[in-house]
Structure formats: structure tokens, C-alpha cells
């Protein structure tokens, strides 16, 4: 059995039972104690398990956990408002932009009322609802269609096909997690493919994510850190994360809940 196959078996067992023992895995996989420990090291480095004495356990917030929109919408509200305000300042009149699904992009949509002559493409039912409520008559909203996820994103072949024919000036991408090795991630495989299509359609990629997303790893990578032209997050981002992100993203912007803006890269 190849290393990736072993690691997949281990990860599935952790998700099913919540914990695994090295001794049990040695018997099940037919490999040495050292091999099992190396596999656990790899999974732990990716943030998929937490190593403990004699084995490993699931981490808080598994890589496939996907809270519903309502649950996420009440988290980190001041930070999301600050991030949305900073991100909205990057939108120019007369441009075509993309907004992925997510509560931070949903918040951003509410900040776009003062920007004239926009074309907005989104795979988010919630974002489209906000934009359609605007009194502006010079705005075009394009909803991609597709299969609905727990976060009210429209995903799948229909959404991907629609996005592949488009060219957008800037895409604002909300993410489930971000980490040095895993990049920007999501817990939903179909949503990852659709978001990847959004990124590919973008002339410029702006990721909007509050500080709690750092160190969280979803099962699927949307984009590497260096694919973000701008990352707008908040001032509570840990120092270690600031150092890593400054090295990788094009520009790191820290929004303050008091309205200040700090650029680190």
C-alpha cells in the first residue's frame, strides 16, 4: 500500500471513530511502527489530525465539517464588517467582479451600493439576494446556477461551465481556512472546483478572510497562498501568520474594527 493510500485509510478511521492507536494501525496496515508514525506526522502537518501519545485524534473542526450559512453569519461580525469595508474600496466603477459564496463576501455585497455600473457574477444565493435588493438600476447580477451546498453556494458542472466562459476584473474569494502548506481551502470538494473556476476567471484575486481562518484546513485546496494578489484580513491575525502571509501573498491588508488600515506587504 502506498503512503497516500495508508494516510487515506488512517484519516478515514480518525473521522469515523475520533481517534486511532499506532499499535492498531500497525496490525491493520501491515507496516512498522515507524511507518505509521511518519504517516501521522504527515497528516498532522497538514492539519488533518492531532498527534497524541500513542496515536492521533481528530482536530476541532474536521476538514469536511461545513457549518450552515446561519451558523457562520453570526461569527466575527466586527471583523467581517471591517474586512468588507476595506475590500469594497478595491472595487472600481464600471468593472466586472466575482463574489464567491460565504458570509464575508455576503457582508461585502452590502458595501457595494455606492459603486456605479457594476457587473457582479456570483455562485451565492445569499449574495445575489443582497445585490438584487439594491436600488441601483445600473447593476447586472449574474447567478451561475448549480447544486446548492449547506453554505448556500451553487456548485457543480453547471456553475463551473458558466464561469469558464467569463473574464472578470477582480474576484473576491471567501475561504473556510488558510494555512502555509494547504493554502486557501474549503470543506466541500464541489465548492472547491467552482471556486477554482472563479479564480481562473479573475484578472486579480482578493481573498477576504478573518483571523480565525488561519490554521484551519479544509479537505480541498482552492488556491495556493501566492495566488492571492491581495488578502484582506483583520488586525487580530497572529504574528506568525503575518510573517508567513507577508512572504506569500501579493499584498496583506489588516483591517481594524476601528476603521484603520494597515498594509504589510
Amino acid at each position: 500500500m502506498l503512503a497516500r493510500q495508508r494516510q487515506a485509510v488512517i484519516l478515514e478511521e480518525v473521522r469515523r471513530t475520533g481517534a486511532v492507536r499506532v499499535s492498531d494501525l500497525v496490525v491493520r496496515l501491515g507496516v512498522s511502527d515507524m511507518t505509521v508514525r511518519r504517516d501521522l506526522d504527515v497528516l498532522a502537518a497538514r492539519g488533518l489530525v492531532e498527534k497524541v501519545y500513542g496515536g492521533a485524534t481528530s482536530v476541532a473542526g474536521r476538514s469536511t465539517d461545513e457549518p450552515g450559512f446561519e451558523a457562520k453569519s453570526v461569527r466575527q461580525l466586527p471583523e467581517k464588517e471591517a474586512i468588507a469595508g476595506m475590500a469594497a474600496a478595491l472595487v472600481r466603477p464600471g468593472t466586472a467582479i466575482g463574489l464567491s459564496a460565504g458570509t464575508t463576501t455576503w457582508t461585502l455585497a452590502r458595501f457595494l451600493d455606492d459603486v456605479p455600473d457594476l457587473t457582479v457574477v456570483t455562485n451565492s444565493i445569499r449574495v445575489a439576494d443582497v445585490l438584487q435588493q439594491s436600488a441601483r438600476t445600473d447593476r447586472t447580477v449574474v447567478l451561475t446556477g448549480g447544486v446548492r451546498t449547506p453554505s448556500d453556494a451553487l456548485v457543480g458542472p453547471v456553475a463551473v461551465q458558466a464561469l469558464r466562459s467569463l473574464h472578470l476584473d477582480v474576484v473576491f474569494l471567501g475561504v473556510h481556512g488558510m494555512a502555509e502548506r494547504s493554502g486557501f481551502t474549503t470543506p466541500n470538494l464541489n465548492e472547491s472546483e467552482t471556486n477554482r473556476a472563479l479564480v481562473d476567471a479573475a484578472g486579480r484575486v482578493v481573498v477576504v478572510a478573518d483571523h480565525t481562518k488561519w490554521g484551519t484546513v479544509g479537505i480541498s485546496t482552492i488556491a495556493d497562498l501566492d495566488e492571492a494578489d491581495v488578502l484582506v484580513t483583520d488586525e487580530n491575525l497572529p504574528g506568525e501568520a503575518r510573517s508567513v502571509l507577508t512572504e506569500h501573498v501579493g499584498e496583506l491588508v489588516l483591517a481594524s474594527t476601528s476603521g484603520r488600515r494597515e498594509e504589510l506587504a
Side-chain angles (χ1 to χ4, degrees):
M1 188 180 291
L2 298 175
R4 286 189 177 183
Q5 293 174 309
R6 291 195 309 271
Q7 291 158 18
V9 170
I10 293 170
L11 187 56
E12 179 59 30
E13 184 66 11
V14 171
R15 289 174 180 162
R16 187 178 68 84
T17 65
V20 291
R21 294 180 182 273
V22 171
S23 56
D24 293 337
L25 292 173
V26 167
V27 174
R28 178 173 178 178
L29 299 172
V31 295
S32 68
D33 178 285
M34 187 65 70
T35 297
V36 170
R37 293 184 186 279
R38 281 198 297 266
D39 287 338
L40 292 179
D41 285 339
V42 170
L43 293 172
R46 292 170 59 194
L48 299 176
V49 302
E50 182 177 346
K51 288 192 68 180
V52 296
Y53 183 77
T57 64
S58 60
V59 294
R62 297 177 301 172
S63 63
T64 54
D65 283 347
E66 186 175 12
F69 185 92
E70 300 298 341
K72 292 188 293 184
S73 66
V74 297
R75 299 174 182 173
Q76 283 73 50
L77 294 181
E79 290 89 344
K80 288 175 181 176
E81 292 276 341
I83 290 167
M86 289 296 182
L90 302 176
V91 181
R92 298 290 176 257
T95 55
I97 70 171
L99 294 180
S100 75
T103 53
T104 307
T105 48
W106 172 71
T107 305
L108 169 59
R110 307 199 320 260
F111 280 75
L112 298 179
D113 275 351
D114 294 333
V115 185
D117 195 24
L118 277 184
T119 297
V120 184
V121 176
T122 184
N123 69 319
S124 168
I125 298 169
R126 301 284 186 144
V127 168
D129 284 345
V130 169
L131 295 170
Q132 294 285 22
Q133 291 169 11
S134 170
R136 299 206 70 98
T137 59
D138 57 348
R139 176 178 297 165
T140 301
V141 180
V142 179
L143 188 61
T144 62
V147 179
R148 191 171 182 171
T149 71
S151 59
D152 283 343
L154 298 176
V155 302
V158 173
V160 170
Q161 186 61 36
L163 292 168
R164 282 179 177 164
S165 64
L166 299 177
H167 306 282
L168 304 172
D169 295 301
V170 59
V171 163
F172 293 89
L173 182 68
V175 299
H176 174 75
M178 52 185 177
E180 183 172 11
R181 294 190 181 187
S182 305
F184 301 108
T185 59
T186 173
N188 188 298
L189 290 171
N190 288 326
E191 191 163 347
S192 175
E193 183 181 12
T194 303
N195 282 345
R196 180 72 242 180
L198 260 175
V199 170
D200 290 343
R204 194 175 187 217
V205 176
V206 179
V207 176
V208 288
D210 69 75
H211 71 281
T212 65
K213 304 298 179 67
W214 179 254
T216 298
V217 179
I219 193 172
S220 184
T221 296
I222 303 166
D224 294 332
L225 295 182
D226 59 11
E227 293 183 74
D229 296 291
V230 182
L231 169 60
V232 185
T233 184
D234 63 86
E235 62 186 352
N236 294 317
L237 188 73
E240 177 187 356
R242 296 187 189 195
S243 298
V244 171
L245 290 166
T246 298
E247 292 178 4
H248 290 281
V249 302
E251 179 184 1
L252 178 62
V253 176
L254 301 181
S256 167
T257 53
S258 64
R260 292 181 292 105
R261 168 192 173 115
E262 183 180 353
E263 296 180 11
L264 298 185

